[in-house]
């Protein structure tokens, strides 16, 4: 097996595309697939402090199809470099399920990916801190990493998501058509006060609408909607993403466990 590292937006974009078959084979969630990660990379490139994207790739030979990939971000905070999952802290993420993945086809690939991540950490100058959040329970790469990091800690938490009950409060208009999204999205996103979050929602929704993987549900009400919800759609699977309501119908619900792997700052003088 061969392990290499791609640094920077252009290189990571290529690795995201190359990892498409692996993402599909592992049934990675929408938030760990190409369209979402592309929106994340575009958002990072558009603002200062977005961090430096990195892809660690394990493949059978140079330029072969990947057997494992980790998409990460390096951010300088003071003297330290913080290493996180690509997409962590960028825009609203749907809740109720683990949104992140350390992609590995099998246990051997997961072990090699963990070694590659450790090599990356050891190559960084100055203090560094690792924080990989949003992973599924029992992630094999996270287990291998924790075994190799003396201070590595795995913690579990119960996630919460949104329950779509809008059909119970009125006549809801639902559409996966790009033209409907373009027409309604400005009024829907006007309820998001944070400009960066609003920009990411718009970009990510458009990318997923282009491939038929987002639904916009709106409860009409005079000049402005009374409720709205964006849902990520993958076949029969529906994952409520972001929305708001003035009349109810969007309630919190308990979700699946999520895992975080942290390794405290090392390398202080």
């Amino acid at each position: 097996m061969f392990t290499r590292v791609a640094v920077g937006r252009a290189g990571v974009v290529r690795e995201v595309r190359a990892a498409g078959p692996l993402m599909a084979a592992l049934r990675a969630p929408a938030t760990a697939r190409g369209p979402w990660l592309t929106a994340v990379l575009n958002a990072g490139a558009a603002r200062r402090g977005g961090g430096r994207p990195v892809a660690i790739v394990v493949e059978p030979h140079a330029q072969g199809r990947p057997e494992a990939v980790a998409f990460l971000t390096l951010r300088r905070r003071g003297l330290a470099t913080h290493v996180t999952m690509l997409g962590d802290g960028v825009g609203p993420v749907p809740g109720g399920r683990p949104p992140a993945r350390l992609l590995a086809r099998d246990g051997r690939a997961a072990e090699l990916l963990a070694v590659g991540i450790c090599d990356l950490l050891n190559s960084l100058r100055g203090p560094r801190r690792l924080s990989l959040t949003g992973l599924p329970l029992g992630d094999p790469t996270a287990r291998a990493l924790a075994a190799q990091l003396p201070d590595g800690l795995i913690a579990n938490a119960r996630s919460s998501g949104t329950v779509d009950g809008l059909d119970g409060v009125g006549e809801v208009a639902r559409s996966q058509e790009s033209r409907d999204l373009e027409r309604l999205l400005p009024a829907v996103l006007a309820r998001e006060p944070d400009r960066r979050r609003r920009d990411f929602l718009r970009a990510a929704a458009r990318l997923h609408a282009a491939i038929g993987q987002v639904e916009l549900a709106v409860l009409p009400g005079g000049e402005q909607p009374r409720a709205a919800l964006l849902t990520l759609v993958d076949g029969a699977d529906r994952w409520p993403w972001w929305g708001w309501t003035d009349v109810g119908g969007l309630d919190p619900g308990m979700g699946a466990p999520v895992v975080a792997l942290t390794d405290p700052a090392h390398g202080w003088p």
Side-chain angles (χ1 to χ4, degrees):
M1 288 286 189
F2 177 82
T3 302
R4 59 185 175 81
V5 178
V7 181
R9 181 183 178 279
V12 173
V13 166
R14 286 193 295 269
E15 301 305 335
V16 168
R17 292 171 179 167
L22 180 61
M23 295 169 179
L26 297 176
R27 298 186 61 82
T31 48
R33 292 201 182 198
W36 186 278
L37 295 179
T38 298
V40 167
L41 288 165
N42 291 342
R47 65 185 180 93
R48 294 186 62 184
R52 184 169 45 151
V54 172
I56 300 172
V57 183
V58 177
E59 52 197 9
H61 52 81
Q63 303 304 317
R65 284 196 171 186
E67 293 293 297
V69 187
F71 296 106
L72 308 175
T73 300
L74 310 181
R75 289 187 179 91
R76 292 290 297 181
R77 294 179 179 174
L79 298 177
T81 300
H82 287 232
V83 183
T84 62
M85 297 297 298
L86 179 66
D88 187 20
V90 180
V93 177
R97 309 179 193 176
R101 287 294 187 277
L102 294 167
L103 302 164
R105 195 178 300 276
D106 53 34
R108 175 57 177 160
E111 291 177 0
L112 291 173
L113 185 59
V115 171
I117 294 173
C118 287
D119 289 344
L120 172 69
L121 295 175
N122 292 332
S123 72
L124 298 175
R125 294 182 179 180
R128 49 82 176 167
R129 176 181 174 83
L130 178 71
S131 179
L132 307 181
T133 61
L135 299 171
L137 200 64
D139 183 276
T141 306
R143 286 200 308 266
L145 263 174
Q148 295 182 47
L149 298 170
D151 297 322
L153 175 65
I154 290 182
N156 302 332
R158 177 69 67 172
S159 66
S160 63
T162 299
V163 178
D164 180 0
L166 288 178
D167 290 320
V169 298
E171 292 292 330
V172 181
R174 299 178 181 270
S175 178
Q176 293 179 231
E177 296 293 333
S178 294
R179 61 178 180 271
D180 294 328
L181 185 85
E182 290 295 335
R183 178 171 55 87
L184 297 169
L185 205 55
V188 170
L189 295 185
R191 297 291 288 266
E192 171 54 65
D194 186 278
R195 180 183 60 80
R196 286 182 176 175
R197 287 169 58 90
R198 192 166 59 245
D199 290 346
F200 178 80
L201 281 164
R202 181 183 299 106
R206 284 173 170 169
L207 279 172
H208 286 83
I211 56 175
Q213 290 189 351
V214 70
E215 176 193 88
L216 175 58
V218 173
L219 184 64
E223 294 183 0
Q224 297 293 328
R226 291 182 292 160
L229 176 66
L230 287 167
T231 298
L232 295 174
V233 179
D234 184 8
D237 182 55
R238 299 171 57 80
W239 193 4
W241 173 16
W242 175 91
W244 52 267
T245 179
D246 295 330
V247 292
L250 296 179
D251 297 318
M254 184 175 293
V258 293
V259 169
L261 169 66
T262 59
D263 190 48
H266 292 277
W268 292 99

